[in-house]
Amino acid sequence: MLSVNHLSIVYQTTQVLSEFDLSLATGDIFALTGDSGSGKSSALRFIAGLDEAQSGRVILDGKQLSNNGVHNIAPELREIGMVFQDYALFPHMNIKKNIAFGIHYLSNNKQKARIEELLLMIGLEGVEKKYPHQLSGGEQQRVALARALAPSPKLLLLDEPFSSLDKSLQEQLVLQVRDILKKTNVTSILVTHDKREATIFADKVGMIENKQLTIN
Amino acid sequence: MNIKTWAPSTLALALTVSSIGIAQAKSEDSVTVYSSRKEHLIKPLFVSFTKDTGIKVMYLTGKSGALIERLKLEGKNTKADMFMTVDAGNLWYAATQGLFQAVQTQTLESNIPSHLRDPKGLWTGLSVRARTIVYSTERVNPTDLSTYENLADSKWAGRLCLRTSKKIYTKSLVASMIYHHSKNRAGDIISGWVNNLAAIPNAKDSHIMNAIVSGQCDVGLVNTYYFARLIAQNPNVPLKLFWANQDTTGVHVNVSGAGVIKYAPNTKGAIKLLEWLSSAKAQAIYASLNKEYPANQNVASDEVVSSWGLFKQDKMNLAQTGILQADAVKLMQIKGYR
Amino acid sequence: MPIFVVALSWLFTERELWAHFSTVLLPNLISATMVLLIGVGLGVTLLGTLLAYLVVMVEFPGRRWLEWALFLPFAIPAYVLAFVYLGVFDYSGYVQVWMREVLGLPGFDIRTGPWAIILTFVLVFYPYVYMMVRASFKRQKINIIEAGQLLGASPLRVFFKISLPMARPAVAAGLLVTLMETLADFGVVSLFNFDTFTTAIYSAWGDFRSIEVAAQLASLLVLVAFFLIFFEKKARGQAKYYSNDVSNKKPYYVLGFVGWLISLFVFCVFMLSFAMPMLQLIIWGWASMGEEWSVKYVDLIISTSVLTTLAALITVSIATILALPSRCKRNSPWLKSLISMATLGYALPGSIMAVGLLYGINQVSAISVYFGGQSINHIIFGSIALLLFAYVSRFMAIGYSSIKASAEQIKPVFTQSARLLGASYLRLIWKIYLPMMMPGVLAGGLLVAVDVMKELPATYLLRPFGWDTLAVQVYELSAEGLFERAAIPALIMVLFGAVLMLIFQLLDQKSSKNL
């Protein structure tokens, strides 16, 4: 389903990641951990097509998205969804419009049905008309998840999605999100610095140490 | 004007059409005037002209220098038939730039004395303005006053108010000093004036008179029509005019006037307007609107203006103000006359 | 283009005139201009920042209405304000007459030395700094201030160590606009008879009929503007301040005596910069109402509104395109220099720019005629398009800086998430950038509109027949010394400007609620 090969990343002059290889099957939930500055977020952003790298190839569902550290296909055409640490919900749009952003090509009725389905899944029915700043952090992050899932991406990337939330909320949400991802059977990669969170969330956990990836 | 009333509804169209609109409105029965004489001083005349002749007048006001540049650049394609401005220096400059055509008609020759017209007929003076001494009746004995040159005498130290050297009236007056004396002598006079100043030269003639009234200074130089305006507002103002240089060169005068544009689309109409402006009827309005002296000698001055009495005018050829203007400015800049 | 024409002038020199200018005028003018720039710069920075800080960070009696009242002076053209100040405060004005007659103090010429003109400029231009710094203070997260307070910092220390450094880009932007306006001014300096660089440009052109020397001097002015823009970029530094948090909670409550003192101070600024001049205009206007008011004002108002609206729309559209965040990380250096060029027009005196434009068009015509084509002069001259072009080049800087500020608030993460949701560049612009920039776009549009409405020199030279504006009417009457009558168009203009500023203020409030 997804294979990443020979990914090497250099920050300014220091090599942080060298010859990173990863392959995942459909529906896999993978977590990537490591200390800050270990290059785990950069690896994720390379897969998303947002940042370039020194070398590396990404093949998703048989399509070569990037090669030699350069992207062949722009982020908007990759069918990859992403959830960011600080939610990144568009502040000028209400929840409904935020979620609909990636599925504007559907008819109004289909959009509506999809949004209702997603809100039901994340347990936030009836918030369509609200604006992001009227929701709590945990609620916003669930909406961000719904928004990323709306276009049914082939791959979902989660970049420290739980780290700006309260401890008590975190654990609850980790499990809830895991359930949702399992239900939708979307291949996912979570980046987190919290090893416990990684083990609860993922089927497979990878750890970056000394520029190398080890998977246990 | 007609263009504008429909423009708001068709904003985008206006972008391209406004210039064409002018071209269409242009015809035998309208004359286009570029004027540095302000709207409120010319509009009543044009209205009256249209009533008399049926010829419409379109006008665009602007600063003299800018309008001359615009006319030069428009060249043969100009829509202007007439250029109207104040100060002989400006008229002279427009003439040297080849903007005017010679117009010599009997009407003009009989209406306007020859020293107020360009020798070749390129421009015609339409009103006379005099710049002379104004003094405080409370603090100045008129017998102490005599000439412009005398104001450089140290007895006026700290008592003199002048208008800024950036104003054309000052430039022309200094040009006449250079003409009558020499650059050196004129330079000394300017230095004397600058030493006697009670305040930084004022931006407006009205400020000079206010300064004298309030006691900041005792004497100043102003164009007479500003004085007329002041006494119309406040008849008891403790100021009086003094006719300068009566025993020598005479009071410095200047003109406002107009010339017909060389490439005028409607030369005939422009000449008609110029002749009409020199007529007794127009001259009475023209001069009295701004309390100036009529150029047409058969027309009596406004009542207030006549009450100041007759005076001897400086007979210097007015083209000199133009020729010597750059020298005058340089001299004032060197002598620190702001 | 005007800048290009101005730069070309160096190909032709007039040695003798240059010698006169460089020995007699320039030494004094350069130092006078420097004094003016430094004085005005310090003044607007202090006053603008202080007022912004007070209304954002401190709660004091009357704060709510003073906060918007402080925008109003922006609606008064600088030359009108200078006019009123001279009338009121100079030797023969009410204030000094009263001081002499009642207090027995000696009179003095307020135009002596640079302080009065500096003060005038500060009072007209402080709203630029106030406006920008206020917006910046509002975006400072209150918790950063509170963190400072809890660490035991006094209010002064919080101001100098936290608030001010974070607002530095806004201070720099406001200062830049102010200094460029000051450089370009001709109206105020001629009323005070204070010689600056602009005076020399006018003298070269008006007295010595030398467009070349005038253009050469103007190009030096542009150089100074380049310099200022460079410094503004430096002052902005590398720091990026992304924050959409707007809090209406005030960190400091000052009631009681000190609170009233603050109110009094802010109120005095408002009185001096707006209420008092307005009152004088109303007194003058009242006296001349019967004489001056006529139907022609309908025409004046229509043409002013049409020109203002069109110029604001065009400027804002172009500025928005220039300010759009690029999809990738870097802007090309080519685009950056294009933008700097486009905003330079602000430092050129309006009539110099207008003449530069006429000459530029004339050159184009000459080339066209040379190749057997037709002269385009008669089509372009006196067309509204040329005038609009002049407005757009002159006021691009003001529209751009406002719009750019709002574009910088857009965090890269919004771009990234939109792209990962499949948004094309156009959709990104339409759905994300434009809506998020809208407050800045509207604010920029209103500021440009107010500036265009006040603009005189370019309008006076380039306007087509029948397109007299209110500013032209003010000039024509006041140039003839008819100040009472000039007060009527001035009042109408200030009224329109004030309404625009109020709309600006309302939009500002609305946007700060939404984000």
Side-chain angles (χ1 to χ4, degrees):
Chain A
M1 172 69 192
L2 170 77
S3 72
V4 181
N5 307 98
H6 309 301
L7 176 57
S8 294
I9 290 172
V10 175
Y11 278 158
Q12 274 141 16
T13 54
T14 27
Q15 178 109 30
V16 292
L17 201 60
S18 139
E19 291 295 312
F20 173 104
D21 290 289
L22 176 70
S23 57
L24 296 177
T26 307
D28 274 358
I29 298 183
F30 179 72
L32 188 58
T33 64
D35 297 332
S36 60
S38 63
K40 54 188 190 301
S41 276
S42 303
L44 204 66
R45 294 173 62 83
F46 177 74
I47 297 168
L50 296 173
D51 292 346
E52 299 197 331
Q54 196 189 27
S55 72
R57 185 174 61 184
V58 178
I59 296 172
L60 180 64
D61 205 11
K63 248 199 278 181
Q64 179 171 295
L65 302 181
S66 307
N67 197 15
N68 292 329
V70 182
H71 305 304
N72 309 333
I73 293 182
E76 54 268 34
L77 302 173
R78 290 189 165 215
E79 298 179 71
I80 293 178
M82 189 156 172
V83 177
F84 295 84
Q85 180 179 352
D86 49 1
Y87 332 130
L89 293 178
F90 305 128
H92 58 289
M93 296 181 188
N94 61 24
I95 302 306
K96 182 180 162 199
K97 286 195 174 142
N98 258 289
I99 299 176
F101 189 83
I103 48 170
H104 65 283
Y105 48 82
L106 296 178
S107 73
N108 277 347
N109 284 339
K110 281 188 181 160
Q111 277 185 36
K112 203 171 166 233
R114 179 81 178 131
I115 293 166
E116 275 168 12
E117 179 192 355
L118 286 162
L119 286 177
L120 186 68
M121 189 155 67
I122 60 170
L124 280 176
E125 300 96 321
V127 297
E128 286 97 330
K129 291 275 161 59
K130 289 197 174 169
Y131 278 85
H133 67 96
Q134 295 169 306
L135 300 184
S136 74
E139 288 168 337
Q140 288 192 49
Q141 196 55 293
R142 279 183 280 165
V143 172
L145 176 72
R147 185 177 71 174
L149 289 175
S152 308
K154 289 177 179 156
L155 175 67
L156 182 72
L157 307 174
L158 303 110
D159 189 1
E160 302 269 11
F162 308 115
S163 53
S164 36
L165 303 174
D166 291 340
K167 263 266 172 289
S168 57
L169 237 151
Q170 257 182 28
E171 204 144 307
Q172 198 188 333
L173 197 62
V174 169
L175 289 171
Q176 196 188 351
V177 171
R178 183 193 152 82
D179 280 352
I180 292 169
L181 296 183
K182 275 289 159 203
K183 248 184 250 163
T184 47
N185 199 34
V186 60
T187 316
S188 321
I189 304 178
L190 167 79
V191 159
T192 174
H193 61 275
D194 183 340
K195 291 190 190 95
R196 217 177 83 84
E197 182 184 302
T199 23
I200 303 175
F201 188 80
D203 307 331
K204 261 198 285 187
V205 177
M207 169 105 163
I208 297 175
E209 255 175 335
N210 300 323
K211 304 167 201 166
Q212 302 293 326
L213 176 71
T214 33
I215 298 177
N216 23 343
Chain B
M1 299 303 238
N2 52 341
I3 305 153
K4 199 175 48 203
T5 41
W6 52 259
S9 52
T10 51
L11 299 185
L13 211 64
L15 281 171
T16 47
V17 174
S18 70
S19 58
I20 301 165
I22 294 291
Q24 284 165 345
K26 175 99 245 157
S27 71
E28 282 303 295
D29 56 2
S30 96
V31 176
T32 302
V33 179
Y34 283 7
S35 168
S36 76
R37 211 170 152 81
K38 306 296 181 299
E39 188 194 15
H40 63 274
L41 296 179
I42 52 176
K43 197 178 174 190
L45 284 163
F46 293 158
V47 168
S48 175
F49 174 70
T50 306
K51 221 181 265 166
D52 282 7
T53 61
I55 302 174
K56 273 190 214 140
V57 181
M58 320 239 307
Y59 56 88
L60 179 73
T61 56
K63 289 191 186 178
S64 196
L67 286 177
I68 290 174
E69 291 304 326
R70 185 162 162 176
L71 281 165
K72 272 160 72 177
L73 291 171
E74 285 175 346
K76 289 180 188 168
N77 294 312
T78 189
K79 285 153 212 142
D81 300 305
M82 179 186 280
F83 176 53
M84 192 179 244
T85 187
V86 293
D87 187 83
N90 286 329
L91 288 165
W92 170 84
Y93 179 66
T96 62
Q97 298 302 302
L99 295 183
F100 293 141
Q101 53 173 294
V103 174
Q104 278 162 320
T105 72
Q106 217 154 21
T107 318
L108 285 177
E109 277 164 22
S110 65
N111 282 346
I112 309 288
S114 64
H115 73 280
L116 299 179
R117 280 183 282 121
D118 178 72
K120 285 180 237 148
L122 293 171
W123 51 263
T124 305
L126 292 170
S127 68
V128 174
R129 38 218 6 235
R131 189 160 189 82
T132 193
I133 298 170
V134 62
Y135 64 95
S136 158
T137 51
E138 291 163 346
R139 295 182 302 279
V140 174
N141 184 346
T143 53
D144 289 342
L145 294 165
S146 56
T147 61
Y148 304 110
E149 292 85 343
N150 178 258
L151 292 177
D153 189 292
S154 60
K155 76 176 165 195
W156 299 110
R159 302 173 69 187
L160 178 65
C161 273
L162 292 174
R163 187 155 184 182
T164 170
S165 65
K166 283 140 214 147
K167 187 68 194 178
I168 189 85
Y169 308 143
T170 311
K171 296 173 195 168
S172 293
L173 176 66
V174 170
S176 80
M177 295 284 143
I178 297 176
Y179 175 80
H180 289 307
H181 310 295
S182 66
K183 250 195 226 178
N184 277 339
R185 172 90 178 90
D188 292 343
I189 295 168
I190 295 167
S191 293
W193 285 352
V194 172
N195 289 334
N196 289 345
L197 283 175
I200 294 168
N202 294 84
K204 312 269 175 195
D205 278 9
S206 57
H207 289 167
I208 295 179
M209 292 183 290
N210 286 343
I212 301 179
V213 171
S214 64
Q216 194 176 15
C217 42
D218 299 337
V219 283
L221 294 176
V222 292
N223 281 6
T224 55
Y225 49 86
Y226 291 110
F227 181 70
R229 223 177 271 160
L230 182 67
I231 52 174
Q233 281 174 356
N234 179 6
N236 301 319
V237 72
L239 296 179
K240 253 190 168 156
L241 289 178
F242 177 87
W243 296 123
N245 294 37
Q246 290 305 290
D247 300 327
T248 58
T249 50
V251 171
H252 172 71
V253 292
N254 209 321
V255 292
S256 77
V260 176
I261 300 296
K262 192 174 191 174
Y263 300 111
N266 185 4
T267 302
K268 241 170 70 188
I271 295 176
K272 202 164 187 183
L273 175 58
L274 193 58
E275 287 180 337
W276 184 85
L277 286 170
S278 75
S279 71
K281 176 183 179 188
Q283 281 283 300
I285 311 173
Y286 194 105
S288 71
L289 269 176
N290 200 29
K291 308 277 185 236
E292 292 170 68
Y293 290 91
N296 185 331
Q297 309 290 304
N298 304 323
V299 177
S301 304
D302 180 275
E303 202 178 322
V304 180
V305 176
S306 336
S307 72
W308 304 325
L310 296 172
F311 60 93
K312 177 178 151 191
Q313 290 184 18
D314 187 347
K315 283 285 186 302
M316 173 184 78
N317 185 323
L318 284 173
Q320 292 298 332
T321 59
I323 298 167
L324 294 170
Q325 185 185 311
D327 283 336
V329 173
K330 254 188 209 173
L331 202 57
M332 289 191 282
Q333 286 174 347
I334 291 168
K335 299 292 179 188
Y337 181 174
R338 277 209 248 164
Chain C
M1 186 172 84
I3 288 162
F4 186 65
V5 175
V6 158
L8 266 185
S9 68
W10 285 99
L11 297 175
F12 316 91
T13 49
E14 288 175 51
R15 260 165 216 284
E16 200 206 335
L17 193 54
W18 249 115
H20 171 74
F21 268 87
S22 55
T23 54
V24 176
L25 293 178
L26 291 186
N28 285 333
L29 293 190
I30 289 172
S31 60
T33 309
M34 287 305 290
V35 167
L36 189 65
L37 287 184
I38 292 170
V40 173
L42 281 176
V44 291
T45 306
L46 281 174
L47 187 63
T49 314
L50 181 65
L51 290 173
Y53 186 77
L54 289 177
V55 300
V56 176
M57 300 286 183
V58 182
E59 187 63 66
F60 56 86
R63 188 197 62 79
R64 280 175 63 88
W65 76 268
L66 283 169
E67 180 172 7
W68 65 258
L70 285 172
F71 281 96
L72 290 176
F74 189 64
I76 304 185
Y79 49 87
V80 171
L81 197 69
F83 212 91
V84 172
Y85 282 167
L86 274 183
V88 175
F89 293 112
D90 206 5
Y91 195 94
S92 52
Y94 317 129
V95 174
Q96 286 206 40
V97 168
W98 179 79
M99 276 165 59
R100 280 194 303 272
E101 286 174 1
V102 180
L103 303 179
L105 294 169
F108 57 95
D109 186 352
I110 63 164
R111 295 167 305 148
T112 324
W115 62 271
I117 189 169
I118 287 177
L119 209 64
T120 308
F121 274 126
V122 169
L123 286 173
V124 224
F125 291 145
Y126 85 80
Y128 285 121
V129 175
Y130 171 73
M131 209 176 286
M132 295 186 193
V133 177
R134 176 179 155 277
S136 159
F137 280 154
K138 283 216 152 182
R139 287 194 297 267
Q140 287 182 4
K141 289 192 173 169
I142 190 154
N143 48 22
I144 298 180
I145 310 284
E146 283 168 347
Q149 284 176 304
L150 291 173
L151 287 168
S154 68
L156 270 184
R157 208 172 131 75
V158 170
F159 174 71
F160 282 110
K161 292 285 171 185
I162 302 174
S163 298
L164 195 57
M166 284 177 69
R168 199 177 59 179
V171 175
L175 190 59
L176 174 74
V177 174
T178 303
L179 293 182
M180 281 167 93
E181 278 267 23
T182 309
L183 272 180
D185 173 82
F186 189 63
V188 177
V189 294
S190 45
L191 276 170
F192 277 85
N193 203 356
F194 186 91
D195 293 350
T196 65
F197 216 73
T198 310
T199 323
I201 299 178
Y202 275 83
S203 174
W205 179 41
D207 299 330
F208 302 106
R209 316 281 184 191
S210 171
I211 284 287
E212 288 77 18
V213 174
Q216 283 157 8
L217 291 168
S219 66
L220 293 181
L221 209 59
V222 173
L223 210 66
V224 177
F226 251 129
F227 200 64
L228 290 175
I229 290 179
F230 174 77
F231 264 95
E232 195 246 1
K233 292 253 158 68
K234 282 268 149 191
R236 269 177 193 248
Q238 294 299 312
K240 293 262 184 233
Y241 307 102
Y242 296 114
S243 162
N244 293 314
D245 301 10
V246 173
S247 163
N248 286 319
K249 194 179 149 210
K250 304 280 167 231
Y252 300 107
Y253 271 82
V254 186
L255 296 166
F257 181 64
V258 182
W260 284 106
L261 267 188
I262 294 175
S263 303
L264 186 68
F265 166 71
V266 178
F267 184 71
C268 281
V269 173
F270 171 71
M271 277 305 288
L272 211 55
S273 57
F274 188 78
M276 189 275 289
M278 280 300 279
L279 193 69
Q280 177 68 76
L281 286 179
I282 290 170
I283 293 172
W284 279 341
W286 188 257
S288 63
M289 195 67 186
E291 191 183 2
E292 181 56 23
W293 178 259
S294 70
V295 279
K296 79 176 169 216
Y297 275 93
V298 177
D299 276 351
L300 290 178
I301 290 169
I302 290 174
S303 30
T304 307
S305 332
V306 171
L307 287 174
T308 302
T309 314
L310 283 176
L313 283 178
I314 298 171
T315 311
V316 159
S317 315
I318 297 175
T320 306
I321 292 168
L322 289 178
L324 277 175
S326 71
R327 189 162 53 151
C328 313
K329 272 189 173 169
R330 287 178 290 275
N331 274 329
S332 72
W334 182 83
L335 183 70
K336 273 188 186 163
S337 47
L338 181 81
I339 291 169
S340 300
M341 290 297 278
T343 53
L344 270 178
Y346 208 49
L348 277 185
S351 50
I352 297 302
M353 211 194 81
V355 173
L357 263 181
L358 289 183
Y359 270 78
I361 299 220
N362 195 42
Q363 293 308 315
V364 174
S365 280
I367 292 167
S368 143
V369 169
Y370 180 80
F371 288 108
Q374 266 197 323
S375 165
I376 54 164
N377 284 4
H378 61 294
I379 302 171
I380 306 275
F381 286 6
S383 80
I384 184 176
L386 186 67
L387 182 55
L388 288 174
F389 185 87
Y391 287 147
V392 171
S393 358
R394 192 155 146 60
F395 296 120
M396 184 57 77
I398 200 94
Y400 178 75
S401 67
S402 162
I403 296 171
K404 184 73 189 165
S406 68
E408 276 170 358
Q409 301 293 316
I410 303 177
K411 298 184 216 174
V413 74
F414 291 127
T415 310
Q416 291 160 5
S417 49
R419 290 190 74 186
L420 286 166
L421 288 166
S424 65
Y425 192 37
L426 277 179
R427 191 166 146 77
L428 192 61
I429 292 173
W430 193 245
K431 289 286 177 180
I432 307 290
Y433 292 160
L434 285 184
M436 292 184 80
M437 287 160 73
M438 204 35 85
V441 171
L442 290 171
L446 287 170
L447 293 185
V448 172
V450 175
D451 259 335
V452 167
M453 189 178 64
K454 296 188 289 186
E455 207 283 340
L456 175 69
T459 316
Y460 206 40
L461 179 54
L462 298 177
R463 73 200 196 286
F465 285 92
W467 284 83
D468 283 2
T469 64
L470 290 165
V472 168
Q473 185 71 7
V474 172
Y475 170 77
E476 292 227 318
L477 292 170
S478 63
E480 290 294 316
L482 301 170
F483 313 129
E484 279 89 359
R485 288 170 65 180
I488 292 197
L491 271 175
I492 301 176
M493 197 157 55
V494 173
L495 204 71
F496 269 87
V499 169
L500 289 177
M501 289 317 291
L502 284 183
I503 299 176
F504 168 83
Q505 170 67 15
L506 282 177
L507 284 170
D508 189 72
Q509 257 172 14
K510 220 179 130 201
S511 77
S512 66
K513 258 180 213 147
N514 250 338
L515 284 183

